[in-house]
Every structure is written in structure tokens, then in C-alpha cells.
Amino acid sequence: MPNSEANLEQLEVDFQARIDAEERIEPKDWMPEKYRKTVLRQMSQHAHSEVIGMQPEGNWITRAPSLHRKIVLLAKVQDEAGHGLYLYSAAETLGATREELVQLMHEGKAKYSSIFNYPTLTWADIGAIGWLVDGAAIVNQVALQRTSYGPYSRSMIRICKEESFHQRQGYEIMLKLANGSPEQKAMAQDALNRFWEPSLMMFGPTDADSPNSAQSMKWKIKRKSNDELRQAFVDQTIKQIEVLGLEMPSKDIKWNEERGHYDFGELNWDEFFAVIKGNGPCNRQRLAHHKKAHDEGAWVREAARAYEAKKKARAEKAA
Amino acid sequence: MTETNTPIVDYTIRLADDSLTLGHRLSEWCSNGPFLEEDIALINVSLDYVGRARMLYAYAAETENQGRSEDDICYLRDTREYRNLLINELPKGDFAFTIVRQFFVDTFNLLFYTELLNSKDSTLAAIAGKSIKETKYHLRRSKDWMVRLGDGTEESHNRCQAAIDELWDYVTEMFDMDELETGLAAQGVAVDRTALREQWQQIVKEVTDEATLTLPDHDIAIRGGRTGIHTEHLGYLLAELQYVQRAYPGNTW
Ligand SMILES: [Fe+2]
Ligand SMILES: [Fe+2]
């Protein structure tokens, strides 16, 4: 028997010691099965989010209001596809293929960020997504640059380099609208109001309602708690709302001298969980869209495989 | 009145419309590709085309000097005023259709921009220089896919052949010359398109042979883009492209 119980215990102690010493865990290293599963679930969910997130923004690529905006948005969404790729390959280091992970998502067994179940109804929503959704993603991903799993940490470092451009392009869209015609300003305000709460919920449930968080923090898969990250995002964003000259999206937002942070009131978590369960306006659409593209591409992938096989056979025959 | 009375501006707008409509069609592949790498590659090509369109519209706007911006030219003309070749506006179709169209147009563009590089108009020549670099990459991709799909499975072969048969109707228009372009070609500004046909045919034949595909021998030639007689598809493309500008006129974005 390779691992007696005592042996296993020792491995776990050593593992935790490595984590505590800020060492990175690499694919070939020993790791507790639950660590492997947690990291894999998180990376796969992250990868799916990057890819599903292409849809609400892609929804406006053909309708972007100027050539400049069209080009910037195309480049942005292209980056997100690239992020999906990095993350799928990071996930593959733990032995799950991209095909398998996608399959799990199609079966509803793997999640993606619930923020993408909200519709992009106006051009301002593209501004709000870049500014708020990518903004929230950055706060989260900056913390994850120091996550304990090496390949995940490295893909976060790579991704963060591209993210600030994403947030900036969104904020620029909002700036233009907020300083534009009354109709444009109203459009910006409406987008802010609709995306405010959902973007705060991207950090996940409150720490009190997040039972798995403690273990993830101990393993340094997560580096900061949901509430800490959310607060950091709120504090930075409120100042930006002021610069835009828009109204605050909630009457509960006010500076709390004592805490040294902005209060932002209770979030409507019932709605959050309802949307996760499938009550969002776009849940069904997002999955169906992804599945359709995947199914329609099957003959292309098959043709590429068939051609490679023929080529190989010909080369072998010639040799 | 759709032409501007300045041949160089009209010519530039034609080339811009060609790039824009095809770039727009390619952008429709975003999140719809057969796999993620292909989404990225198709967006890449789309970006090159839309970027080229933007440079050309900007040059047209500047040369025209009538207070129209690049976006005014792109977003505020209707179907009858658009001047792109029909092949560029056709719906994206399936992946085979997109690849065959890219292969036909990429091959054409490589020959076209190589000639335009010698244009006496230095801006067009500079845009051609950049376009050649991009097109070499585009063509390598579309050529590879032609061979893979043509010589892949029975289904990919059949889809590819169907796309060739359909797109063939729109090939001839790429090589048409009219008064405007003949005049500019005589001044050393525009490219003589008719002179490119033979070489185009040769390259396309070589690749389709390797891909075990056949070129049609009928001589149907659907034309009209340069005089604003389009397929019905362009109206929808423009309705989508121009929606925000039309719904909220006079704003900047
Ligand atoms: Fe991303
Ligand atoms: Fe992003």
C-alpha cells in the first residue's frame, strides 16, 4: 500500500506547510483530492465565464455605434476568448480535457458567472459591462495572481495584463454617454442601475453564507474573502460614478466614517440565487447558443481530424 | 446623387465598403466558431478588415473635405449608396461558405493590393502595404482550410463544393472595370482588375485541385454592387450596423 493512513496525514501536513510557505503547487506535485477538485472546479467555471461572456458583448459587435467602438469591442471580446483558452489549458493540467469541461457545462453540471445571464439591452450596457463587470473581475483576479495553484496563478497574471484595457474601454463608453445628450445620459444611468447589484454579486455570497470559503482560504486558493473583495470594488467604483456625474445606483450608498468604507446596503440575494437556478432572462439562451455553435462546428472539427489522419497516413506510406 | 464627383474619393469609398461589409460578416462569427481558436482567428481577420475600412473611410473623408467624418460615410449611407462588391455582403453561411469566400477574396486581395502598392496615390499605396502583410496571413489560413475541408470528410467536401458553386456567381464582379476605375487606372492611381483574373484563376485552381474540389465552368456573373444594385441581404446588414446612429442621430459615441 503506497499510502497508509498515517502516510496520508503526513502528506497533508507537508502540503499545508508548502502552502503556508507561499510555495506554488505544480501539476505533478502531490495534492489532496479535494484541493484538486476545488481548483479544477474554479478554473473550469472561470474558463466557461470568459467564453460565455463573449455572448452579451458579442450581441453589440454588429451594432457598435462607430468604427472605433466596433474595433475596440472586437479586440476586447477576442481577448476574452483568449482568456478562456489560457484557463482551459490551465485546467487541463489537472487532467480534464476542454471537451469534457464543455460537456459538463452543456449538461448543466458546471457553472459560469451568473452575471452573463443578464441581457445587454442598449449600447450603454457594453460600457457598463466593461467598466463594472471587468472592473469586478480585475479586483478578483488581482487577488488570484497569488493563488496557490501555479498554472492558475500564472494564467491570472497573464490575464490581468489585458484586463485594464477592458475596463478602460467600458469606462470611456460611459464617459462619452454621461457627457452626451440627455438620451445618452439616461441610457448610461439605466445601465449603471441594472448592472450595479449583479456586478457586486460577482464576488459570491456574503462570507457568512459561504461555507466552502474557509477551506479555500486555508489552501490559499482564495486569497481574500468575498466581502473584502466586494468592499474594495465598491470603494473604487463609487468615486468613478462621481466622476461620471451619474446618480448613485442605490440610496443606501454612503460613506461610513467609522469603517473607512462606503456602505452599500443589503443586496437582493434571493434574486441572485433565483438567477443562478435558471430564472435569469438569458440562462437558457446562453447555454443553447454555446451548444448550437459547438454542435454546428462538429463537422469542421471532424474534417480537421480526418485530414490530419490522411496526411499522416500518406507521409507514412511515402517513408 | 451618390457619387462625390471626386473620382479618388469614390474609389476609396468602394474599397472601404468592400472591407467593411466583409469585416462585418466575419465579426458575426464571434462566439459562433467551431472551436475557440477559430473564434479568435476569425475575429483577428475581421479586425484587419474593419481596421482597413476605417483607414479608407478616414482618407475619403479627409480628401473629400466636406465635413463628413469616417463614421458619417459608413453609418449614414443607405443600400443604394453603398458601393461594395456583392461577394462581400452575402450572409456568412456555414463555416465552409465563409472559408471559400475568404479564399476567393484573400487571393484576389493579395494580387490587388500588390498592384495598388504602385499607386501614384501615396496614401492608397501605404494602405496597400499594410494590407498585403495582413492578406498573406489571411490567405495562408483560408488556403489551409480549403485543403482540410475539401480533403477532409465527405460532409466537409460537399459543403465546400456547394459553397464554391454558389460563390462562383459573384467572382466575375471582382474583375470588372468601369469608367471611374479605368480613368483612375490610366492615371496610375487605381488597379486594372481585368489584368488579375488569369493569375487569380491559376492560384484558385491549384488549391482546389489539391483540395479535390472542382471549379464550375458556367459563366453566370451577378453584378451590381458598384452601382448600388445589391442583394437583399445588404439592407439588413446596414440596418444592424447603423442602428444606434440612426436611432439617436447627431450624437457622438
Ligand atoms: Fe477576461
Ligand atoms: Fe475582460
Side-chain angles (χ1 to χ4, degrees):
Chain A
M1 251 173 51
N3 292 328
S4 71
E5 220 166 278
N7 228 341
L8 189 65
E9 226 165 83
Q10 188 55 46
L11 282 168
E12 275 170 8
V13 169
D14 294 347
F15 180 79
Q16 188 62 50
R18 292 189 60 198
I19 299 272
D20 294 342
E22 291 294 326
E23 280 182 41
R24 292 285 166 274
I25 306 304
E26 296 300 332
K28 289 202 169 69
D29 297 347
W30 184 89
M31 62 189 85
E33 190 48 28
K34 191 156 172 262
Y35 176 90
R36 200 190 74 88
K37 273 202 183 128
T38 308
V39 174
L40 181 58
R41 195 194 329 110
Q42 194 170 326
M43 286 194 295
S44 109
Q45 187 170 332
H46 198 155
H48 296 328
S49 300
E50 300 282 357
V51 172
I52 296 294
M54 294 168 70
Q55 291 181 36
E57 293 190 285
N59 185 35
W60 281 89
I61 283 177
T62 53
R63 293 182 290 169
S66 72
L67 288 161
H68 169 64
R69 295 289 173 212
K70 192 177 174 75
I71 288 168
V72 170
L73 184 59
L74 268 168
K76 197 261 185 194
V77 177
Q78 186 186 36
D79 279 355
E80 305 300 6
H83 297 174
L85 268 191
Y86 302 160
L87 283 157
Y88 283 126
S89 8
E92 281 181 354
T93 63
L94 290 180
T97 66
R98 196 201 307 181
E99 195 75 13
E100 288 163 359
L101 296 175
V102 166
Q103 184 65 33
L104 286 173
M105 176 171 66
H106 288 170
E107 290 167 7
K109 288 176 191 155
K111 280 186 246 160
Y112 56 85
S113 176
S114 201
I115 189 79
F116 301 122
N117 289 323
Y118 294 88
T120 49
L121 302 176
T122 72
W123 171 247
D125 291 4
I126 297 307
I129 288 192
W131 170 38
L132 299 173
V133 175
D134 286 76
I138 292 171
V139 169
N140 193 30
Q141 290 168 355
V142 164
L144 285 173
Q145 290 182 2
R146 291 165 55 240
T147 192
S148 57
Y149 188 57
Y152 194 23
S153 152
R154 288 189 288 276
S155 54
M156 285 302 109
I157 291 167
R158 218 168 145 191
I159 285 173
C160 280
K161 286 201 184 112
E162 291 170 355
E163 286 294 349
S164 58
F165 145 66
H166 296 179
Q167 193 185 23
R168 192 155 13 95
Q169 63 92 32
Y171 193 68
E172 270 167 17
I173 291 173
M174 294 302 274
L175 209 51
K176 202 79 178 174
L177 297 175
N179 293 296
S181 67
E183 272 173 317
Q184 285 177 305
K185 194 165 180 179
M187 202 187 273
Q189 183 70 54
D190 172 54
L192 167 59
N193 294 348
R194 277 184 291 117
F195 277 94
W196 171 253
E197 278 218 5
S199 62
L200 297 192
M201 291 173 178
M202 285 172 67
F203 298 99
T206 57
D207 296 346
D209 288 324
S210 190
N212 299 323
S213 279
Q215 181 64 69
S216 284
M217 295 279 281
K218 193 166 170 236
W219 275 334
K220 296 187 180 169
I221 297 170
K222 280 173 86 149
R223 301 297 314 225
K224 285 186 176 161
S225 80
N226 296 353
D227 286 335
E228 275 178 281
L229 293 167
R230 187 169 12 248
Q231 186 67 60
F233 175 68
V234 166
D235 290 347
Q236 91 182 24
T237 306
I238 293 203
K239 292 187 193 105
Q240 294 163 346
I241 298 175
E242 279 164 2
V243 175
L244 287 173
L246 294 176
E247 280 167 31
M248 289 300 151
S250 150
K251 59 178 175 10
D252 296 327
I253 294 173
K254 43 181 164 321
W255 177 250
N256 184 325
E257 190 65 53
E258 203 177 311
R259 293 201 307 126
H261 291 293
Y262 283 96
D263 290 340
F264 50 92
E266 282 289 311
L267 302 179
N268 184 354
W269 289 104
D270 291 343
E271 193 205 83
F272 175 78
F273 289 111
V275 171
I276 284 191
K277 278 208 197 92
N279 293 284
C282 299
N283 299 50
R284 208 176 280 278
Q285 178 194 341
R286 299 287 185 244
L287 258 195
H289 180 129
H290 193 272
K291 205 167 171 318
K292 181 165 179 272
H294 189 77
D295 292 348
E296 284 177 358
W299 69 268
V300 180
R301 300 190 295 274
E302 206 177 302
R305 276 194 297 269
Y307 177 73
E308 280 315 307
K310 280 188 198 175
K311 215 169 88 175
K312 208 173 147 216
R314 279 177 208 141
E316 272 163 16
K317 212 173 164 192
Chain B
M1 182 58 236
T2 55
E3 262 68 30
T4 63
N5 294 324
T6 316
I8 184 73
V9 172
D10 292 334
Y11 185 60
T12 305
I13 290 178
R14 287 179 176 192
L15 301 183
D17 288 351
D18 284 337
S19 291
L20 179 85
T21 44
L22 187 54
H24 185 96
R25 286 305 186 205
L26 284 164
S27 78
E28 294 173 345
W29 276 102
C30 177
S31 83
N32 293 302
F35 48 93
L36 208 43
E37 287 84 346
E38 231 1 82
D39 269 87
I40 294 174
L42 287 164
I43 298 175
N44 229 346
V45 181
S46 171
L47 269 169
D48 287 343
Y49 273 98
V50 179
R52 186 181 308 161
R54 189 178 179 203
M55 286 191 289
L56 290 161
Y57 285 130
Y59 180 51
E62 180 198 314
T63 311
E64 174 187 63
N65 199 17
Q66 299 286 320
R68 279 202 298 182
S69 69
E70 58 184 43
D71 287 330
D72 292 341
I73 301 178
C74 176
Y75 287 85
L76 300 178
R77 281 176 308 138
D78 208 343
T79 306
R80 293 282 286 117
E81 298 158 295
Y82 255 72
R83 285 294 177 265
N84 60 284
L85 299 168
L86 301 179
I87 193 168
N88 297 308
E89 74 193 40
L90 300 174
K92 78 182 201 309
D94 65 2
F95 188 72
F97 190 88
T98 281
I99 290 300
V100 173
R101 165 166 52 192
Q102 287 313 122
F103 174 61
F104 284 175
V105 174
D106 293 343
T107 306
F108 177 85
N109 278 347
L110 187 64
L111 302 172
F112 179 86
Y113 284 114
T114 304
E115 284 305 312
L116 192 65
L117 196 57
N118 304 317
S119 174
K120 292 215 170 92
D121 184 293
S122 59
T123 307
L124 289 182
I127 292 173
K130 188 167 182 294
S131 304
I132 290 169
K133 277 188 215 128
E134 295 164 351
T135 305
K136 279 185 181 156
Y137 159 73
H138 301 166
L139 183 57
R140 199 162 30 167
R141 251 182 59 77
S142 53
K143 223 187 215 168
D144 283 354
W145 270 118
M146 284 295 284
V147 176
R148 255 182 249 149
L149 295 181
D151 194 16
T153 62
E154 197 186 331
E155 178 174 11
S156 67
H157 177 92
N158 291 342
R159 282 176 184 262
C160 231
Q161 188 61 54
I164 291 178
D165 295 344
E166 190 178 339
L167 279 157
W168 199 251
D169 298 353
Y170 299 92
V171 162
T172 302
E173 196 190 23
M174 293 195 289
F175 303 95
D176 279 352
M177 291 295 279
D178 62 1
E179 218 184 300
L180 175 84
E181 298 200 14
T182 308
L184 285 170
Q187 296 166 39
V189 171
V191 174
D192 178 9
R193 294 165 174 274
T194 47
L196 309 176
R197 175 88 205 219
E198 207 173 305
Q199 219 189 333
W200 182 89
Q201 185 89 17
Q202 200 186 322
I203 299 171
V204 167
K205 177 90 173 58
E206 257 168 48
V207 173
T208 43
D209 279 352
E210 190 191 342
T212 72
L213 296 160
T214 345
L215 294 180
D217 59 4
H218 68 70
D219 56 358
I220 293 175
I222 304 174
R223 24 167 79 99
R226 296 299 195 217
T227 52
I229 305 297
H230 290 275
T231 68
E232 290 180 347
H233 306 296
L234 183 68
Y236 292 90
L237 186 155
L238 295 180
E240 211 173 321
L241 174 82
Q242 301 177 340
Y243 152 69
V244 178
Q245 291 259 3
R246 299 288 194 181
Y248 304 93
N251 292 311
T252 54
W253 303 90

